[in-house]
Amino acid sequence: MTEQETATGGSKPDERAALRDTAAEFVRREVAPHLQAWEDGQTIPRELHLVAAKQGLLGVSFPESVGGEGGDLLDSIALQEAMLGAGASSGLMAGLFTGGIALPHIAAHGSADLVDRFVRPTLAGETIGALAVTEPGGGSDVAGIRTTAVREGDFYVVNGAKTFITSGVRADFVTTAVRTGGPGHAGVSLLVVEKGTAGFTVDRALTKMGWHCSDTAELSFVDARVPVGNLVGDENSGFYLIAEQFVVERIALAVHAYGIAARSLALTAAYCRERETFGRPLVANQVVRHKLVEMHRQVEVARTYTHAVSARHAAGENVVAEACLAKQTACDTATYVCHEAVQLHGGTGYMHGTEVERNYRDARILPIGGGATEVLTDLAARLLGFTS
């Protein structure tokens, strides 16, 4: 742990090492033997959330006051790195830890009632939450939200649609971005919409290139009546509540990216030592060794930069631009490393069910989710003053 990490609080070095061990063992015992079946079935069993919660994994970065473990972002990164290093897929992490994007706004700004009804049971593994922001045709434009919520007495009447919602099929509730005011960012609010609300439906589960075990849904709201008490924070403050979490979300995706890249590198290095061609191991070829070195270099650069940005964020610095760049750096790494991993595995790497094949497919969503690279690069340009 660096001096900067120590200054931010969170776990002590020995506690973080124990967390890594627990997370890795959880994957080896509870995930790895079943992951391909979950991938093929395109779902994660609800029971896994309970098991993860009992191990203290679901609430690592949430305060103890809302049912979490009291850690920080750096603890969450240690957890994710250990799980990915033990063979968890990016899709598994997205589906199991959807609470990481569904709950922070409620934990930080929700009423005590909302915390008790949604945050605590989700961190205990008893319920599953989702975050619904993206709309058909809307992409990354949070300020352009068109789903409306009109107040009628003690209820908001919600109409609209959401798409690409992670865990939307299994979710017991959805933290939903709605328009309660005028146009632009100032008119957006967050409402918690519960499964079973009349007029709220899961229209369909979406089949994807990767992240197979993480269910993704299209949602619709037709005159869905949501209690006013389900409003998170103040009315028309939703854009700011969402924006507060952008850095953490982008760092998490960066960890996914260099995490699956590091796993693919480890698998590939082992394969190149074992696989013989023309009477000698693959690694005996200079071109193979040089590829492995380049894969290693990119993983280390992405990991080191993401750690540095994360430590600065945990220390209270404004690192919005740097988080965009960390995500891009890590996603570029995943794209390159996972491609080369399949190449060096040859025909074996192209086979469905191999880890490198899964990581290759899963890597493709990472430069898109949490803000497409092109959008985040333009945002970084503005924040860094590179505009006219």
Side-chain angles (χ1 to χ4, degrees):
M1 182 184 296
T2 67
E3 291 181 5
Q4 198 168 17
E5 288 176 316
T6 303
T8 65
S11 298
K12 297 177 182 178
D14 55 342
E15 293 173 338
R16 194 163 289 159
L19 174 62
R20 286 180 176 275
D21 291 343
T22 298
E25 179 58 27
F26 171 80
V27 172
R28 288 190 289 267
R29 184 180 64 250
E30 305 290 346
V31 174
H34 315 291
L35 184 52
Q36 190 55 51
W38 297 341
E39 287 274 316
D40 293 339
Q42 299 193 9
T43 191
I44 300 168
R46 296 183 70 93
E47 293 78 12
L48 189 68
H49 292 257
L50 285 168
V51 177
K54 289 178 181 177
Q55 294 293 313
L57 303 180
L58 292 188
V60 162
S61 60
F62 285 85
E64 293 180 2
S65 59
V66 299
E69 304 299 324
D72 62 11
L73 174 61
L74 304 176
D75 297 310
S76 177
I77 289 173
L79 165 74
Q80 294 175 70
E81 288 178 347
M83 292 185 69
L84 291 164
S89 69
S90 178
L92 183 282
M93 300 296 286
L96 182 60
F97 291 97
T98 314
I101 58 174
L103 298 179
H105 326 82
I106 307 174
H109 301 282
S111 65
D113 175 62
L114 290 180
V115 169
D116 288 342
R117 289 165 56 204
F118 300 110
V119 179
R120 295 183 190 280
T122 303
L123 296 182
E126 299 165 0
T127 56
I128 297 171
L131 175 67
V133 176
T134 304
E135 297 182 344
S140 300
D141 185 12
V142 178
I145 291 296
R146 290 182 291 180
T147 297
T148 59
V150 178
R151 184 162 180 173
E152 292 185 1
D154 293 332
F155 292 87
Y156 285 102
V157 180
V158 182
N159 285 279
K162 300 291 182 180
T163 193
F164 307 142
I165 307 307
T166 301
S167 296
V169 176
R170 297 181 302 140
D172 299 296
F173 65 91
V174 181
T175 306
T176 308
V178 295
R179 183 160 301 284
T180 49
H185 63 269
V188 176
S189 296
L190 284 179
L191 277 180
V192 183
V193 183
E194 298 176 75
K195 178 183 286 187
T197 299
F200 168 46
T201 58
V202 176
D203 284 354
R204 65 182 178 125
L206 301 174
T207 303
K208 311 179 297 298
M209 175 191 295
W211 277 17
H212 285 177
C213 67
S214 172
D215 62 281
T216 306
E218 285 186 349
L219 311 176
S220 67
F221 307 85
V222 180
D223 293 332
R225 296 177 66 83
V226 180
V228 170
N230 282 23
L231 178 70
V232 181
D234 296 329
E235 190 175 274
N236 298 326
S237 68
F239 180 88
Y240 305 101
L241 304 189
I242 295 168
E244 278 182 354
Q245 301 303 320
F246 278 157
V247 167
V248 172
E249 180 183 6
R250 289 161 187 166
I251 286 174
L253 290 171
V255 177
H256 277 222
Y258 72 69
I260 63 173
R263 175 66 175 179
S264 295
L265 169 59
L267 293 168
T268 304
Y271 182 82
C272 289
R273 293 188 186 98
E274 297 166 0
R275 171 68 168 162
E276 289 194 359
T277 58
F278 305 105
R280 60 179 189 168
L282 275 177
V283 77
N285 296 284
Q286 185 183 65
V287 67
V288 172
R289 295 196 299 271
H290 287 191
K291 281 191 175 187
L292 292 173
V293 169
E294 177 60 15
M295 293 160 75
H296 172 83
R297 182 189 70 81
Q298 292 201 24
V299 168
E300 287 303 301
V301 168
R303 177 169 27 222
T304 301
Y305 184 51
T306 302
H307 278 206
V309 172
S310 302
R312 290 175 58 191
H313 176 74
E317 292 187 43
N318 182 341
V319 292
V320 175
E322 290 81 358
C324 294
L325 300 180
K327 179 177 180 289
Q328 180 181 351
T329 301
C331 289
D332 289 349
T333 293
T335 298
Y336 174 82
V337 172
C338 293
H339 171 89
E340 293 297 341
V342 171
Q343 184 71 19
L344 289 173
H345 273 77
T348 299
Y350 194 67
M351 293 296 101
H352 176 70
T354 61
E355 279 194 62
V356 293
E357 182 264 348
R358 179 193 304 141
N359 289 340
Y360 178 87
R361 288 184 290 100
D362 284 355
R364 191 61 193 86
I365 188 58
L366 301 177
I368 299 172
T373 295
E374 294 78 5
V375 174
L376 298 189
T377 300
D378 199 51
L379 172 59
R382 295 198 301 274
L383 293 171
L384 295 170
F386 300 149
T387 55
S388 58

